[in-house]
Amino acid sequence: MTARPVLVLNAGSSSLKYAVVRPDTGETLLGEHLERLGTDDVGAALDRVVAGLAAAGIAADDLAAVGHRVVHGGDRFVAPTLVDDAVLDGLEALVPLAPLHNPPAIAGVRHALAAYPGLPQVAVFDTAYFADLPAAAATYALDREVTARLSVRRYGMHGISHEHVAGRAAAFLGRPVEELDQVVLHLGNGASAAAISGGRPVETSMGLTPLEGLVMGTRGGDVDPGVLLHLLRVGGLSVADLDDLLHHRSGLQGLSGRQDFRDLLAAVDGGDADAALAYEVCCHRLRKYVGAYLAVLGGADVVTFTAGIGENVPRVRADVLAGLEQLGIHLDATRNQVRGGPARISADDSAVTVLVVPTDEELSIARQVVALVGVSRP
Ligand code: ADP
């Protein structure tokens, strides 16, 4: 008997992605990316999902469960969780930690409960993989009374992807994940790095929120907190202005007016100086993180690129890792032309193996869901 598929929903602040995935084979039966939604239209988007499934002949009874990607699980949710009223209350209580990211996910859960009342609904958290991050990496060096009272620590995000890719990299190499020290670079619209030792993450670039770390499409990553004080005090920005600046008008967008990496590269090639600087800032930040994570791990066995940019842009991979031979990294220029993967792009004499591995957050969610609820229902 084939396993029943899982409907995976990923309701973000500006889009809803869905996929109907067979957890055993990894096959995607149906899927779509619905753009430009506010939290208010998650219900309308979900109506389209339900209609799409019905048109494809997929009824509630054909599904094992609905899996929901939830960005922030805080301290409370550190594993996939069957949603009930108490869990919904718990998710609502986390909204202050993730005001842009969690509300659409909660709306998605509520609408899916109404549309598929007989199906188990499972929340899978993007922070969960990092729940056991060593205290030295998870702790901000701020007044402990303040951070404890407000649950301020480094949680880390993109855990669904980092865990999946680290496992796939190990499988590709035919090695147990427990034996490998890995750096994973997830480079999409959002971007983050993780250092993973023996299958457990020991450092990651996102923090309390998805604003920390690498340069992203519209988020700038690391910034001196004094800059924010300066903008509030001297620049006269309101908290809402700052929120908008940090989430939507920074990163590649802020530096060059382009948030999509394809547009950025076209502008770089067209001689646009702002785009060239944005590209350099982005690659420089990545290189700093690679070096830092090699130090955190005491040297790595594997460095892996994944997500839209990591899987598709050889030149970023080459520019980030250029000149790191002393650190054991030596790319093969021809192998590095690969898109997608999984593939090895390092030279045979490279002490560190460099890979391109495609991420598949929907499949990872589907597998975590059936691990919790099983594939058959009474
Ligand atoms: P997310 O899942 O965070 O929305 P993705 O992982 O799909 O993001 O990555 C999106 C980014 O990848 C965009 O900046 C896009 O321009 C870039 N990207 C995807 N394919 C290519 C490509 N062939 N060349 C250059 N950039 C690409």
Side-chain angles (χ1 to χ4, degrees):
M1 189 190 97
T2 45
R4 287 171 199 253
V6 175
L7 169 61
V8 177
L9 295 177
N10 181 354
S13 52
S14 64
S15 72
L16 178 110
K17 287 190 221 172
Y18 77 92
V20 179
V21 182
R22 277 198 197 291
D24 48 352
T25 61
E27 187 189 356
T28 299
L29 304 179
L30 198 65
E32 209 181 338
H33 191 162
L34 308 171
E35 297 279 358
R36 301 197 206 298
L37 310 163
T39 302
D40 295 345
D41 4 281
V42 171
L46 202 78
D47 288 344
R48 285 167 60 190
V49 173
V50 173
L53 262 64
I58 301 170
D61 272 353
D62 299 321
L63 299 169
V66 184
H68 299 267
R69 174 176 181 245
V70 181
V71 168
H72 216 307
D75 285 327
R76 172 160 171 194
F77 298 108
V78 298
T81 303
L82 196 61
V83 177
D84 58 18
D85 286 344
V87 169
L88 269 173
D89 289 346
L91 294 177
E92 295 281 4
L94 286 172
V95 166
L97 277 180
L100 296 186
H101 294 86
N102 276 18
I106 296 170
V109 173
R110 289 194 188 282
H111 283 96
L113 276 165
Y116 295 110
L119 285 179
Q121 309 276 334
V122 178
V124 179
F125 297 92
D126 224 12
T127 47
Y129 183 51
F130 299 111
D132 295 329
L133 215 52
T139 306
Y140 288 113
L142 297 167
D143 182 326
R144 292 191 69 175
E145 186 278 319
V146 174
T147 54
R149 178 159 48 85
L150 295 169
S151 302
V152 172
R153 50 158 281 196
R154 305 189 62 253
Y155 290 91
M157 285 88 195
H158 290 146
I160 294 164
S161 178
H162 284 294
E163 179 173 21
H164 178 77
V165 169
R168 248 194 117 177
F172 177 76
L173 295 172
R175 301 271 307 275
V177 75
E178 293 77 18
E179 287 180 7
L180 295 173
D181 285 336
Q182 308 196 44
V183 177
V184 177
L185 304 171
H186 174 108
L187 312 180
N189 285 314
S192 68
I196 298 165
S197 181
R200 298 304 312 160
V202 294
E203 180 56 280
T204 194
S205 59
M206 284 179 169
L208 174 75
T209 76
L211 288 174
E212 190 177 346
L214 302 175
V215 176
M216 314 181 212
T218 63
R219 289 169 260 162
D222 296 335
V223 64
D224 174 358
V227 171
L228 310 183
L229 293 175
H230 182 75
L231 296 178
L232 289 170
R233 199 181 282 134
V234 180
L237 273 68
S238 67
V239 172
D241 294 336
L242 209 49
D243 220 343
D244 182 48
L245 175 76
L246 295 173
H247 283 98
H248 305 302
R249 293 193 287 122
S250 300
L252 304 177
Q253 173 70 34
L255 287 172
S256 74
R258 295 165 186 87
Q259 60 174 281
D260 186 282
F261 216 80
R262 279 167 287 217
D263 297 342
L264 181 83
L265 290 177
V268 171
D269 291 339
D272 184 301
D274 292 340
L277 178 62
Y279 179 84
E280 280 169 26
V281 173
C282 175
C283 290
H284 175 76
R285 183 79 54 81
L286 269 164
R287 171 193 290 273
K288 255 180 27 175
Y289 269 88
V290 170
Y293 287 10
L294 290 176
V296 165
L297 292 166
D301 301 296
V302 194
V303 173
T304 301
F305 288 88
T306 193
I309 298 162
E311 293 166 28
N312 290 298
V313 192
R315 118 194 214 191
V316 166
R317 302 188 296 241
D319 287 338
V320 168
L321 299 182
L324 298 188
E325 288 80 8
Q326 291 266 24
L327 299 180
I329 295 178
H330 184 186
L331 277 199
D332 179 294
T334 306
R335 289 178 185 168
N336 185 38
Q337 295 313 306
V338 72
R339 287 164 199 261
R344 182 192 306 258
I345 60 169
S346 47
D348 290 339
D349 67 355
S350 184
V352 179
T353 301
V354 185
L355 302 178
V356 174
V357 172
T359 191
D360 191 339
E361 289 164 293
E362 287 72 27
L363 175 59
S364 176
I365 290 169
R367 288 191 170 149
Q368 295 189 52
V369 167
V370 297
L372 184 70
V373 301
V375 288
S376 56
R377 287 174 297 109

